[in-house]
Amino acid sequence: MKGKQLLVLLTALTVTASMTLAGCSSNNDKPANDRKPAQGSNNGGNKEGDKKEESGFVFGDEPFTFTYYVNYDWWTTEPWGANPNSKWVQENKKVTVEPIQSGGAAAQKLSTMIASKELPDAMMMDRGPDVERLRSAGVLVPLDDFIDKYPNLKKWAGEETLNMLRSSDGKIYQFPNWFTAAPTGNGGWFVNSKIYKELGSPKLETTDDLYSYLKQVKASYPDVVPLEVGRTAEGVEVMFPGFGEGNTTTYSHMKSYPDGDKFRTIYDNEAWKENMVYASKLFREGLITQDAMTQKEDQVKEKLATGRVAVYVGGNATNVGREGHNTWKNADPSGGYEFIWPIVKPGVDKNNVFPNGYNALGWNVNVITTNAKNPEAIFAYLDWMAGEEGQRIMFFGPQGLYWDEFDADGAPIPNDKWYSTPQEQKDKEKLEAYVWAGNATYVDTSKTKIEMMLPKEQQNWGAIAQFNVAWKTSHNNTEYNNIDPAPETEEGIINQQVTELAAEYFGKMLFAKSDDEVLSLIEQAKKETDGLGFQKVLDYRTTKWQENVAKINGK
């Protein structure tokens, strides 16, 4: 990378230290016959990828190792070979991954690696501006030739999804993670079933019902949190869609929402305003955990694991609920949690409320850097993982552990060990932690089929919550993909300022002494946001959004 390009990129990354969860290379210019010839392994249960692709990478010819970094403060990549599926890959595919950890400071870590010219071979990060900065600096490998050579990404993601990943130069640099052709999502509500029964199982469908119930809980169970909203009170954003049909949490995250054919500030959204007034009322009456803005994730999980939460709402509810349910029920058989339909304001159609949003492109992306000595081998591994065999092994475990055969659709058929092993024990094996090229279409269909075959007491709590509620309350947000401005641009700097301002005002609104104070703070936030020039961001998003709509419609 040229010195000037590096300086520009490093400066941009430093300015955007809030970068979160996680190439045109001389390596890629090598003639095809210099690359390692992909073939799959006969281990794992099918013939997928077993035919040798001309000039493709052949798994198992000799050991292959690459470094991998996940660009999130909170992420710790599990050690390779320490659990059944990564060990299987190491032994059967001869692939080893060397994790590079963020150490809780992802943006700084990435900046340091760029400055020292020691980028990882591959990394996971958010789609959009962060990827584009790296691409513009010439440190990412284009994947187009590999996509045409290897079968799975193109087969399962489809041309439309892949086109949405193209950069301005017309090439694809991003391998999506958890791409999907069907609704996904983990957000929503669940209740403490033990307390709920003890209080007579009252109707719990509207915000009025919830308010009455939370007051009952506070009066009867002084040591229990009536409504848990997670760290930084993120659950308040998940409550928002219940106040107006057609809304989704994505609007809250963007601090803006579509109105007709253009974007407007979230401070004009009446449902969002009502939600903040309601949440503040619950908070000042002690019905929401009082340390919501300062508590850590571990504190939330500890409360759930000991049954000290009556109602929970959050964006990762199916996962934290599953962990809390299994741990608590293991200690107290009468304990447990039950996932419920989203709470709505009276008069709102509960079937048109979306606490979840999904994107055909999935969650985040993998990129391969020009530091990689064999980028094609890394792509071949990601592509194998995205196929049926890879998903079976990396999500459900290797053949012979919890399944021995698979059905006509490629879904694993549970064996006796699957039935006899407690879910809590399966969770400890952290099988899903190694799925970096998730194919949600395959996994969600397969795990639903498996769970429906199990006795109720052995079903995966989170999977059932997804199937029964979360996925049915998920909005297709693909059209809003990659519509944010690059952080180093004028619009990007304004957007960052607006985000920081919104976080400041969010806390003030939650701590407000009255409904009128909340509404006054909303007007103040709007005025300051307008003063920062947020309209430029809204105009930028509108343009990019309309371009996406045209792509989706094939124009």
Side-chain angles (χ1 to χ4, degrees):
M1 187 193 304
K2 295 180 180 179
K4 185 176 180 181
Q5 287 176 314
L6 176 61
L7 178 61
V8 171
L9 177 59
L10 181 56
T11 300
L13 287 171
T14 302
V15 168
T16 58
S18 61
M19 225 174 125
T20 54
L21 178 64
C24 30
S25 157
S26 58
N27 291 325
N28 197 47
D29 293 333
K30 292 180 181 179
N33 57 12
D34 280 353
R35 299 194 188 115
K36 283 186 165 303
Q39 102 181 12
S41 166
N42 288 327
N43 301 297
N46 78 352
K47 299 291 184 181
E48 179 185 299
D50 284 353
K51 290 184 178 179
K52 181 175 179 179
E53 296 284 347
E54 184 178 355
S55 300
F57 177 80
V58 179
F59 289 112
D61 260 14
E62 62 181 60
F64 172 68
T65 299
F66 67 94
T67 57
Y68 190 73
Y69 173 69
V70 179
N71 194 46
Y72 291 112
D73 293 342
W74 49 268
W75 183 289
T76 299
T77 304
E78 298 295 327
W80 197 252
N83 82 333
N85 51 9
S86 63
K87 185 177 181 181
W88 186 95
V89 170
Q90 194 169 44
E91 293 177 348
N92 292 276
K93 295 292 186 184
K94 306 303 180 187
V95 174
T96 297
V97 178
E98 295 179 352
I100 297 174
Q101 309 295 0
S102 71
Q108 295 90 325
K109 178 70 174 181
L110 182 56
S111 294
T112 299
M113 290 189 290
I114 292 171
S116 63
K117 299 182 179 180
E118 294 182 354
L119 281 167
D121 298 329
M123 54 185 166
M124 180 192 292
M125 61 196 308
D126 283 341
R127 292 187 308 271
D130 297 326
V131 172
E132 286 303 299
R133 282 201 306 276
L134 293 170
R135 179 196 66 81
S136 297
V139 298
L140 298 185
V141 175
L143 308 178
D144 301 73
D145 291 344
F146 305 149
I147 290 172
D148 289 333
K149 182 180 292 187
Y150 297 89
N152 293 315
L153 180 58
K154 196 169 188 177
K155 169 187 174 182
W156 287 94
E159 290 287 350
E160 183 179 290
T161 295
L162 292 177
N163 285 336
M164 290 288 288
L165 288 168
R166 291 191 185 280
S167 293
S168 57
D169 63 0
K171 297 179 181 179
I172 297 173
Y173 296 84
Q174 308 168 79
F175 196 113
N177 182 29
W178 291 119
F179 56 89
T180 182
T184 62
N186 297 304
W189 300 73
F190 60 80
V191 299
N192 182 316
S193 52
K194 183 176 183 179
I195 290 177
Y196 186 62
K197 290 176 183 176
E198 290 174 353
L199 290 178
S201 302
K203 184 167 73 76
L204 198 54
E205 298 176 359
T206 71
T207 49
D208 291 345
D209 297 337
L210 178 64
Y211 179 65
S212 297
Y213 182 69
L214 297 179
K215 288 200 296 183
Q216 275 187 281
V217 171
K218 184 179 179 182
S220 303
Y221 302 88
D223 296 329
V224 169
V225 175
L227 178 61
E228 178 57 68
V229 290
R231 62 185 178 86
T232 65
E234 58 92 17
V236 172
E237 292 185 334
V238 181
M239 295 166 57
F240 150 57
F243 284 83
E245 296 171 23
N247 284 298
T248 172
T249 51
T250 297
Y251 304 159
S252 185
H253 296 153
M254 292 192 295
K255 308 300 178 283
S256 61
Y257 70 104
D259 183 19
D261 61 355
K262 63 183 180 180
F263 269 92
R264 294 178 63 180
T265 174
I266 195 67
Y267 301 120
D268 285 338
N269 187 299
E270 292 301 322
W272 189 88
K273 293 181 186 180
E274 289 184 46
N275 178 58
M276 292 309 302
V277 168
Y278 181 79
S280 180
K281 175 183 177 180
L282 296 184
F283 187 82
R284 63 177 173 267
E285 293 186 17
L287 302 178
I288 288 178
T289 180
Q290 297 297 287
D291 60 349
M293 298 299 293
T294 58
Q295 66 182 342
K296 306 296 184 184
E297 188 77 9
D298 287 346
Q299 292 173 282
V300 177
K301 290 182 177 180
E302 192 275 332
K303 283 183 279 188
L304 290 170
T306 52
R308 292 185 291 114
V309 170
V311 183
Y312 179 96
V313 58
N316 196 28
T318 64
N319 287 322
V320 296
R322 182 196 69 216
E323 292 179 21
H325 175 85
N326 292 336
T327 303
W328 183 27
K329 202 166 185 63
N330 188 53
D332 179 2
S334 66
Y337 296 101
E338 179 182 354
F339 213 82
I340 63 172
W341 204 262
I343 303 292
V344 300
K345 185 181 98 171
V348 170
D349 181 359
K350 69 175 186 177
N351 296 309
N352 195 22
V353 166
F354 308 103
N356 287 291
Y358 73 97
N359 188 323
L361 278 62
W363 177 23
N364 47 15
V365 294
N366 295 278
V367 294
I368 302 173
T369 78
T370 54
N371 271 28
K373 293 180 180 179
N374 194 337
E376 182 170 356
I378 298 174
F379 183 92
Y381 175 65
L382 293 173
D383 189 78
W384 169 80
M385 189 190 299
E388 289 183 12
E389 182 186 58
Q391 292 295 286
R392 266 198 303 275
I393 291 168
M394 301 310 286
F395 190 90
F396 298 101
Q399 185 177 23
L401 179 60
Y402 293 122
W403 60 275
D404 300 313
E405 299 176 344
F406 53 90
D407 65 19
D409 297 321
I413 300 172
N415 58 22
D416 291 341
K417 187 173 181 180
W418 182 292
Y419 292 102
S420 62
T421 304
Q423 185 60 46
E424 187 177 13
Q425 178 59 42
K426 294 176 187 174
D427 291 343
K428 290 179 181 178
E429 294 180 330
K430 298 184 178 181
L431 297 176
E432 301 171 29
Y434 300 86
V435 184
W436 305 327
N439 177 345
T441 303
Y442 169 83
V443 168
D444 289 346
T445 300
S446 297
K447 72 180 183 181
T448 298
K449 291 172 68 173
I450 290 172
E451 295 305 323
M452 292 300 117
M453 295 167 59
L454 298 172
K456 185 174 182 180
E457 64 274 10
Q458 293 182 355
Q459 291 176 344
N460 182 302
W461 188 94
I464 297 302
Q466 289 174 322
F467 179 72
N468 288 336
V469 181
W471 296 344
K472 294 178 181 178
T473 55
S474 188
H475 186 271
N476 188 342
N477 292 330
T478 305
E479 62 193 281
Y480 307 129
N481 174 67
N482 201 19
I483 64 173
D484 278 350
E488 68 271 17
T489 63
E490 180 186 6
E491 293 87 352
I493 293 170
I494 293 171
N495 193 38
Q496 180 61 31
Q497 292 173 330
V498 169
T499 299
E500 293 170 356
L501 185 72
E504 177 185 336
Y505 269 98
F506 177 84
K508 291 180 179 179
M509 293 172 200
L510 202 60
F511 282 85
K513 303 299 183 183
S514 67
D515 293 353
D516 287 341
E517 184 181 352
V518 177
L519 294 172
S520 176
L521 287 165
I522 290 174
E523 287 305 308
Q524 290 178 36
K526 178 183 176 182
K527 184 176 180 181
E528 287 193 45
T529 296
D530 290 345
L532 289 171
F534 193 42
Q535 187 59 48
K536 293 182 179 180
V537 178
L538 299 177
D539 292 342
Y540 180 92
R541 281 182 177 151
T542 295
T543 299
K544 292 297 182 181
W545 171 42
Q546 293 302 329
E547 290 175 358
N548 281 348
V549 171
K551 286 181 183 178
I552 291 172
N553 293 330
K555 296 180 180 178

